[in-house]
Amino acid sequence: MGILQTEYDFTLPMGFADEDGTLHKEGKMRLATAADEILPMKDPRVQNNPAYLTVILFSRVITSLGDLKMVNPRIIEGLFTVDFAYLQDMYNRINQNGSNTIKAVCPKCEHEFDIEATSSGEL
């Protein structure tokens, strides 16, 4: 019987710069639950702007980011767009596929294989 992996490491392509200028790039994201996707719908910020759902969702499922004591919506709002997009892709991979891998095909032999998405949002 296998062990279910519920948390995945990541390294942001740019990183979050806090008010002291310290860069936070490495973190962990856990698998989302139904509550993670449903409960933010009651938040007035999401009701006023549905695009804010992802901000609330990430603040719930990102369990660590660098040396920050906690990850809250304000931290997520301060992410660079490239980091936000990287996290959206990762969120979809781990919650839809159950792994942080990307399907690839060798251009020469057309062999299909999986590549682990690793640091800096690169393959």
Side-chain angles (χ1 to χ4, degrees):
M1 182 177 262
I3 297 174
L4 176 64
Q5 181 178 359
T6 59
E7 196 169 62
Y8 296 84
D9 295 333
F10 64 81
T11 303
L12 296 175
M14 296 285 292
F16 173 77
D18 65 21
E19 61 270 359
D20 297 326
T22 303
L23 202 56
H24 305 273
K25 294 182 76 168
E26 297 184 6
K28 294 181 184 289
M29 179 186 290
R30 67 169 173 75
L31 291 175
T33 63
D36 290 324
E37 296 200 356
I38 294 169
L39 294 177
M41 300 302 287
K42 296 179 181 176
D43 189 300
R45 294 169 292 186
V46 174
Q47 292 175 347
N48 289 333
N49 180 1
Y52 204 78
L53 173 63
T54 308
V55 172
I56 301 292
L57 186 59
F58 283 175
S59 71
R60 294 175 60 99
V61 299
I62 296 174
T63 58
S64 70
L65 180 59
D67 295 332
L68 298 173
K69 293 181 180 173
M70 63 184 296
V71 178
N72 57 36
R74 190 172 144 256
I75 301 294
I76 302 301
E77 289 173 353
L79 291 173
F80 292 107
T81 302
V82 66
D83 291 333
F84 195 76
Y86 171 77
L87 291 170
Q88 286 179 307
D89 290 344
M90 180 179 173
Y91 179 88
N92 288 333
R93 280 193 302 274
I94 68 173
N95 286 291
Q96 292 175 3
N97 305 330
S99 69
N100 195 19
T101 60
I102 299 170
K103 299 216 177 285
V105 177
C106 174
K108 291 185 179 178
C109 69
E110 298 184 2
H111 172 72
E112 295 181 9
F113 56 99
D114 292 335
I115 299 173
E116 184 79 22
T118 58
S119 63
S120 299
E122 298 175 7
L123 302 177

